[in-house]
């Protein structure tokens, strides 16, 4: 018996006739109901997601700012999140690393928020006593990195110039800000206003007035100046009056000289013995030596305005190079038993620049274990170049801020 098969396509009809009755069967394709998508769409909008955003903090010079606290804020929208049609204000805080990057991870949002609130902006801001800045221009859903430039916090500070002997204001004085060589004059009360100082910076000041020694103070924290009315005291220059010689009384001549008992001669005060200079010589040499365990510091400003001292032992001025090669008793305050009784500090310059070299001597605080017999410390300042050698003797105490002198260096003479 042979069987014949026929493929039936969609829409074909099968006709069957039996007992004078006709039956028609039509085959149709089954379609997926489209309205089910409408039911699934709200479920898709309920899906929650998260993303990461990195905020890089820099200053005006494009230097990274580490350990800076940064706050990020945005609005996230949900159909259901502990409530129907819930809108959440998300606020996160993070600190920057050594490269200035603050990373905010797992920031929540939804597909609903992504589709219908694409213009939602994210706000980042940072503020402390040193820096401040903010950015509110970036769209939350289309950014993953924000560069935040922070401006420095500035303040105005006031400094007073006073006479160190009687605390009287020096209305004719002035100060010089070493960093930018800015000169500011005092008012009638000896006060000087300095504007727009970076709150978290340090400055060096030099006070000067006619008839007074200059006073140089290095690395003052601006924060300390702002919190306290900073006073810079200057020491007056004492003018020595010429001694009047009294006329000698002429004694009448005696025929027979009487025998006089020999007078007892009082011992003369011996000046401190000057040791041989230590350190290198150079084309210009400035040496300081003293004669006890105390710690004195030698500070020199070259004609270019550069400083050479214990925290900056190398300096350059045009083609000149200056060096501090001996720094004695630098730990005398903490370890007086290790201090030398014949200390020296020595600076030398190779091919020194012509001009004025300002020399300052600073006395560090005494330590009770030093057993200093006097508050005054005798010293000898030696200046040596091709013209010869100059020795200047003086004394300084713990109460003195700085003692100044200067030397004009000339190559050809």
């Amino acid at each position: 018996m042979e069987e014949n098969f026929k493929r039936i396509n969609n829409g074909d009809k099968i006709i069957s006739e039996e007992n004078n009755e006709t039956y028609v069967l039509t085959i149709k394709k089954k379609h997926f109901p489209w309205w089910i998508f409408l039911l699934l769409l709200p479920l898709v909008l309920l899906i929650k997601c998260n993303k990461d955003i990195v905020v890089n903090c820099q200053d005006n010079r494009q230097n990274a700012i580490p350990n800076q606290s940064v706050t990020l804020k945005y609005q996230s929208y949900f159909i259901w999140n502990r409530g129907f049609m819930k809108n959440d204000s998300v606020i996160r805080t993070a600190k920057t690393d050594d490269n200035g990057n603050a990373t905010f991870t797992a920031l929540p949002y939804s597909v609903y928020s992504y589709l219908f609130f694409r213009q939602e902006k994210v706000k980042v801001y940072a503020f402390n006593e040193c820096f401040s800045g903010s950015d509110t221009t970036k769209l939350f859903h289309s950014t993953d990195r924000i560069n935040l430039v922070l401006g420095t916090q500035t303040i105005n500070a006031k400094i007073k110039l006073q006479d160190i002997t009687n605390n009287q204001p020096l209305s004719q004085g002035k100060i010089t800000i070493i960093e930018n060589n800015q000169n500011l004059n005092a008012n009638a009360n000896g006060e000087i206003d300095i504007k727009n100082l970076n709150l978290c910076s340090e400055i060096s000041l030099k006070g000067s007035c006619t008839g007074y020694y200059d006073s140089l103070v290095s690395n003052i924290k601006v924060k300390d100046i702002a919190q306290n009315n900073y006073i810079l005291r200057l020491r007056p220059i004492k003018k020595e009056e010429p001694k009047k010689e009294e006329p000698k009384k002429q004694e009448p001549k005696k025929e027979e000289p009487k025998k006089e008992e020999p007078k007892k001669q009082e011992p003369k005060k011996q000046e401190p013995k000057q040791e041989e200079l230590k350190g290198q010589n150079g084309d210009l040499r400035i040496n300081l030596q003293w004669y006890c365990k105390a710690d004195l510091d030698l500070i020199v400003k070259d004609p270019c305005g550069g400083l050479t001292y214990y925290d900056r032992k190398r300096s350059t001025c045009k083609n000149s190079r200056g060096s501090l090669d001996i720094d004695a008793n630098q730990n005398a305050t903490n370890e007086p038993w290790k201090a030398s009784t014949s200390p020296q500090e020595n600076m030398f310059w190779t091919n020194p620049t012509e001009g004025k070299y300002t020399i300052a001597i600073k006395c560090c605080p005494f330590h009770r274990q030093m057993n200093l017999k006097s508050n005054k410390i005798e010293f000898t300042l030696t200046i040596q170049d091709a013209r010869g050698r100059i020795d200047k003797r003086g004394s300084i105490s713990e109460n003195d801020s700085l003692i100044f002198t200067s030397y004009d260096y000339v190559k050809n003479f």
Side-chain angles (χ1 to χ4, degrees), residues 199-263:
L199 180 60
C200 294
S201 66
E202 295 181 349
I203 61 173
S204 299
L205 300 175
K206 184 184 77 172
S208 58
C209 186
T210 303
Y212 290 81
Y213 291 106
D214 292 346
S215 180
L216 176 66
V217 184
S218 302
N219 302 328
I220 314 172
K221 293 182 179 180
V222 174
K223 190 186 304 182
D224 294 339
I225 299 177
Q227 293 174 352
N228 310 304
N229 289 329
Y230 193 83
I231 299 176
L232 189 59
R233 294 182 173 89
L234 306 184
R235 180 172 296 278
I237 301 173
K238 294 182 180 179
K239 296 182 179 179
E240 296 183 359
E241 297 182 357
K243 295 181 179 179
K244 296 181 180 180
E245 295 184 359
E246 297 181 357
K248 296 181 178 179
K249 294 181 181 180
Q250 294 182 355
E251 297 180 355
K253 294 182 178 180
K254 297 180 180 180
E255 294 180 357
E256 293 181 1
K258 295 181 179 180
K259 294 182 179 180
E260 295 181 356
E261 295 181 358
K263 295 181 179 180

Side-chain angles (χ1 to χ4, degrees), residues 6 56 68 98 101 115 149 158 163 229 236 310 347 360 377:
K6 181 180 180 182
N56 178 257
Q68 171 69 45
D98 293 340
N101 293 324
L115 293 176
V149 179
K158 180 176 292 185
D163 188 315
N229 289 329
Y310 53 88
M347 294 186 188
I377 299 174

Side-chain angles (χ1 to χ4, degrees), residues 12-65:
D12 290 349
K13 296 179 180 180
I14 301 175
I15 301 174
S16 176
E17 295 181 357
E18 186 176 352
N19 300 327
N20 295 324
E21 293 181 1
T22 301
Y23 300 91
V24 178
L25 178 63
T26 303
I27 305 298
K28 291 186 177 180
K29 183 178 181 180
K30 185 177 181 181
H31 294 281
F32 187 82
W34 59 271
W35 48 268
I36 293 180
F37 286 108
L38 296 178
L39 296 177
L40 294 176
L41 182 59
L43 298 178
V44 174
L45 298 178
L46 288 172
I47 297 175
K48 295 180 181 180
C49 310
N50 57 63
K51 64 178 297 183
D52 299 341
I53 294 179
V54 177
V55 179
N56 178 257
C57 293
Q58 299 178 347
D59 60 16
N60 295 328
R61 299 182 178 179
Q62 296 183 347
N63 297 318
I65 303 177

